Structures are given as structure tokens and as C-alpha cells.
Amino acid sequence: MIWSLIVGALIGLIAGAITNKGSSMGWIANILAGLVGSFVGQALLGTWGPSLAGMALKPSIVGAVIVVAVVSFFLSRMNH
């Protein structure tokens, strides 16, 4: 369980760095984006590529980028 949270945080951190939104989200949001993104990415793209803590890394990162982009889009809309 702890290992999944750590890997989820790293996936969320990578997705935040790719989208330039990670520093404004915080650690909890990065972990959630990584875990939710992992689920979304594997559901859409399958479980190919290297895997850590039961999460396929490449589809998980793509899914997390999608989650971060969608969440940041809606948050920016709510603030304006």
C-alpha cells in the first residue's frame, strides 16, 4: 500500500512536470493524480511496458497527464 502511494506520487510528479502544473498542486494532489491517472491510463491503454507496484508506468504517466490537464483546466475555469 505504501509502495503504491510512493509510485503514485512519482507518477503524479512526472505528470505535473510534463504539464507544468505539478508545483501548484501539492503532494496530496500529485499522489491522487498519479493513482487516478494510473487507473485511467491502464484502462485506456492497457498494461504494457515496465511495471512498479502493480502499475504499468508508461500508460500510468499518460493517464496522469490527462488527469492533471483536465483538473487544471476545470480549476482555471472555476477561478475566472
Side-chain angles (χ1 to χ4, degrees), residues 25-51:
M25 289 177 43
W27 280 99
I28 301 295
N30 278 335
I31 292 171
L32 289 175
L35 293 174
V36 172
S38 176
F39 175 76
V40 169
Q42 290 182 65
L44 293 174
L45 303 172
T47 57
W48 53 275
S51 179

Side-chain angles (χ1 to χ4, degrees), residues 7 11 42 46-61:
V7 173
I11 291 170
Q42 290 182 65
T47 57
W48 53 275
S51 179
L52 276 176
M55 293 181 242
L57 295 180
K58 291 178 183 179
S60 296
I61 291 170

Side-chain angles (χ1 to χ4, degrees), residues 2 6 16 19 21 30 39 42 51 67 69 72-73 75:
I2 302 268
I6 292 169
T19 60
K21 306 286 184 196
N30 278 335
F39 175 76
Q42 290 182 65
S51 179
V67 168
S72 65
F73 172 77
L75 288 178

